[in-house]
Amino acid sequence: MQLSTNHTTQSRARKAYMLVVDDNPDDEALMQRLARRQLPDVQTYSVNSVAQALAYLDSCTVHELPRLILMDLYLPRREDGWQLLQLLKTHPLRHRLPVIVVSSSDEQEDIGRSYELGANSFITKPSCRAEWQVYFESLRQYWWDTVTVPPYRPF
């Protein structure tokens, strides 16, 4: 059974992309390392602002759009993260992109507003590397081994 799961992961990850949006260089580097370890076949791109995220997405062909976006809410202000989330979820093509908000905040307002704007998940950033590792194992198992996402086509 494990062999089948690995095959599924590899076939789903082939030519897959993930975008990390985080203005904290330490968190961004850690997420990059964990992504390379947990999702070795996934191309991970990192940017550190709303403008850079939008520029990256504008440069993507339909086939290069990320299968998943991990974004910090505070970029550096939470209003910046909410702005990016709203721009993604109201865009005719990008609204289907799964977005996981990964934030140091555990404030109910931040969590609730993120979901209202269309976040697919909200995760409070772990406090230690071991917890980050568990998060990325779960991320791989759920978003790559389990979930089927729709194809991204212009309408």
Side-chain angles (χ1 to χ4, degrees):
M1 192 62 149
Q2 183 66 27
L3 182 60
S4 175
T5 301
N6 286 339
H7 176 70
T8 301
T9 301
Q10 289 174 353
S11 65
R12 287 185 185 192
R14 190 172 297 126
K15 294 189 180 181
Y17 303 90
M18 182 169 67
L19 177 61
V20 174
V21 186
D22 199 315
D23 64 338
N24 179 320
D26 293 332
D27 288 346
E28 180 271 329
L30 180 59
M31 285 189 270
Q32 278 279 5
R33 277 194 305 277
L34 289 168
R36 279 192 301 273
R37 184 174 301 137
Q38 290 296 321
L39 299 161
D41 296 327
V42 174
Q43 286 271 25
T44 303
Y45 295 95
S46 293
V47 296
N48 60 25
S49 70
V50 172
Q52 287 179 353
L54 295 174
Y56 168 77
L57 291 167
D58 286 342
S59 74
C60 292
T61 67
V62 171
H63 301 291
E64 296 170 334
L65 285 171
R67 178 182 166 103
L68 185 65
I69 298 174
L70 300 179
M71 63 165 272
D72 187 16
L73 182 60
Y74 286 73
L75 292 169
R77 300 170 311 132
R78 67 181 175 185
E79 290 78 13
D80 300 322
W82 288 337
Q83 176 194 22
L84 177 57
L85 193 52
Q86 186 168 24
L87 289 169
L88 291 171
K89 294 303 183 174
T90 58
H91 189 277
L93 179 61
R94 299 176 191 151
H95 74 279
R96 289 187 175 185
L97 297 173
V99 178
I100 300 175
V101 175
V102 183
S103 179
S104 297
S105 172
D106 61 359
E107 292 183 30
Q108 291 304 309
E109 181 181 4
D110 291 345
I111 297 165
R113 183 79 174 131
S114 295
Y115 280 111
E116 286 170 12
L117 292 172
N120 297 87
S121 295
F122 188 103
I123 297 172
T124 302
K125 286 183 178 179
S127 58
C128 69
R129 185 177 172 86
E131 289 177 6
W132 274 103
Q133 179 70 32
V134 170
Y135 274 26
F136 266 79
E137 288 171 7
S138 297
L139 178 116
R140 179 190 49 78
Q141 289 171 354
Y142 185 75
W143 288 102
W144 264 267
D145 296 349
T146 306
V147 172
T148 302
V149 296
Y152 302 111
R153 296 185 192 121
F155 296 100

